[in-house]
Amino acid sequence: MRTLDLLDENQSVTKTILLLAWPTITEQILLTFVNYIDTAMVGSLGAVATASISINSSTIWLVNGLLSSIAVGFGVLVAKNIGAKNYKRSSLAANQGLFASLILGLIIFLIMLYVGPKLPYLLKADSSIVKDSQNYIKWITLAFIFQSLMIMSSGIFRAAGNTKTPFIVNIVNNLINVVLNYFLIFPSKEISFFGTNFILKRADLGVEGAAIATFISIAISQIILLILLIRDKRYKVDIKIINPFKMNKNINKNAFLLALPNAFERISLTVGQIFLTAIVASLGTKALAAHYLAIQAESITYMPTFGFATAATTLVAQALGGNKKELAKKYARNSLIMGTLTMSVAGIFLYLFSSSLVGFFTFDNQVISLGSKLLRIVAICEPFFGLSMMVFGILRGSGDTKRPFFISIIGMWIVRLPLAFYLVNYSNYGLNGAWFAMTLDLIVRGLVSLYIFKKGKFFDRKSLI
């Protein structure tokens, strides 16, 4: 696999962005597609099964957000030191990042062992989904240790300019997950093979089977990623087996200065999502299932833009680390245009195929009707959502993780939640009201992000390496 010099100013900026972004875009689309299949498999069991996963979803997003935040902190340091050609320090940052992610994964695992079983009661879930939701979160809790390391390992590869390895490993992860879902979720059945009938043995574990499949696939994938990270020396990152975890105060301090605002951003968003889930849950199981499935369906629209945002973070970080500010600006501008245009096209797709997208997950006509209306509401704001995603990625690459946090706080806590609470409880809009509030939130974030980008002062900030 040929390495790509991200700081070669003779290369086409657009071509470099695409070369770095396409594996992440493809990876995220495949990941979303498999998530679609996963959700559809559980959805075929009925609205109760779907709701039992939905009630845990915001908490899982919170945990994954924290894990991603620490990966952002160390990833920016890895990228900037590679840009500065300080390969010893980029390797040290990568080693420290893996150790920090292991510790964080273990801490979250211990916390969730206690909190997980209480979630359905804390969120006032219907009694019909309590048992399934507890069985689901039990196995996802165990997966968090491996998930923490997997997010960090993938982040290190991407920061070094290698987006293909995480892409390939995630394909393996997805294939394992789908196959295990088939054998763990559903009951045994009789099948015919060349005229011979026999019983195909399956576990019939329902929702719990989906969680077990997720745990096993993540564990296997992380082991593969770690082996590749240790063996591959082409990307200026050297992972040490012997004495890898000697603490470096300066690197850890800088990484956490970058990670903490991002972590607070993720916490504020996800706690807000938990409150929003609680607001929606008061409308009943059908509304909760429609809300969850609409979110799942919408996720396909921002996966390409996520790829461009990830590429922008790496490119801007390496360019600024190499003292090439004008190149960083070119990467930022072109990435912003590409990511926002992609999101705009995805919004049109979301509006036109809303019923089909929700219908992929469930046969419940009431849930499909509710969910498709939600997608048509949120489709309007997709270009603004794309703007905020791209600007956030660019800001993180520059080492500015504070402004995405403040923008997210304004959107979630000043716009979305108060308006959603009012529209759900004191108007006739019901579930649609919650999504009207979400749409306004994303429009506000996009406009504020565009204003900050046009000012461009973040390119001049002092860099942490």
Side-chain angles (χ1 to χ4, degrees), residues 12 26 38 66 79 115 126 153 267 283 340 351 363 387 443:
S12 163
T26 309
D38 195 33
L66 291 174
V115 174
D126 190 280
S153 298
I267 291 170
L283 298 172
T340 304
Y351 187 91
F363 299 112
L387 270 173
I443 290 172

Side-chain angles (χ1 to χ4, degrees), residues 157-190:
F157 272 119
R158 293 188 184 106
N162 177 359
T163 53
K164 292 182 181 178
T165 297
F167 161 58
I168 293 169
V169 172
N170 263 296
I171 290 177
V172 174
N173 175 33
N174 295 335
L175 289 174
I176 294 171
N177 190 39
V178 169
V179 172
L180 289 177
N181 273 343
Y182 181 77
F183 284 99
L184 294 176
I185 293 175
F186 303 108
S188 299
K189 70 172 184 176
E190 184 177 355

Side-chain angles (χ1 to χ4, degrees), residues 99-114:
F99 180 57
S101 67
L102 175 61
I103 297 301
L104 181 59
L106 288 169
I107 291 171
I108 289 174
F109 166 72
L110 293 173
I111 292 172
M112 287 303 297
L113 278 179
Y114 175 76

Side-chain angles (χ1 to χ4, degrees), residues 124-182:
K124 300 179 181 179
D126 190 280
S127 60
S128 63
I129 70 173
V130 169
K131 184 179 178 181
D132 275 345
S133 66
Q134 289 175 329
N135 288 334
Y136 185 81
I137 199 65
K138 174 178 64 180
W139 288 97
I140 298 300
T141 293
L142 191 57
F144 283 142
I145 299 171
F146 296 96
Q147 180 81 343
S148 180
L149 287 165
M150 187 173 176
I151 290 172
M152 181 62 73
S153 298
S154 297
I156 291 168
F157 272 119
R158 293 188 184 106
N162 177 359
T163 53
K164 292 182 181 178
T165 297
F167 161 58
I168 293 169
V169 172
N170 263 296
I171 290 177
V172 174
N173 175 33
N174 295 335
L175 289 174
I176 294 171
N177 190 39
V178 169
V179 172
L180 289 177
N181 273 343
Y182 181 77

Side-chain angles (χ1 to χ4, degrees), residues 31-46:
L31 183 62
T32 303
F33 180 67
V34 172
N35 193 32
Y36 271 31
I37 296 173
D38 195 33
T39 305
M41 285 179 166
V42 174
S44 68
L45 303 177

Side-chain angles (χ1 to χ4, degrees), residues 352-373:
L352 294 177
F353 299 100
S354 56
S355 296
S356 299
L357 287 169
V358 180
F360 182 82
F361 302 121
T362 181
F363 299 112
D364 190 310
N365 289 327
Q366 186 180 349
V367 173
I368 293 172
S369 177
L370 288 169
S372 62
K373 290 176 183 176

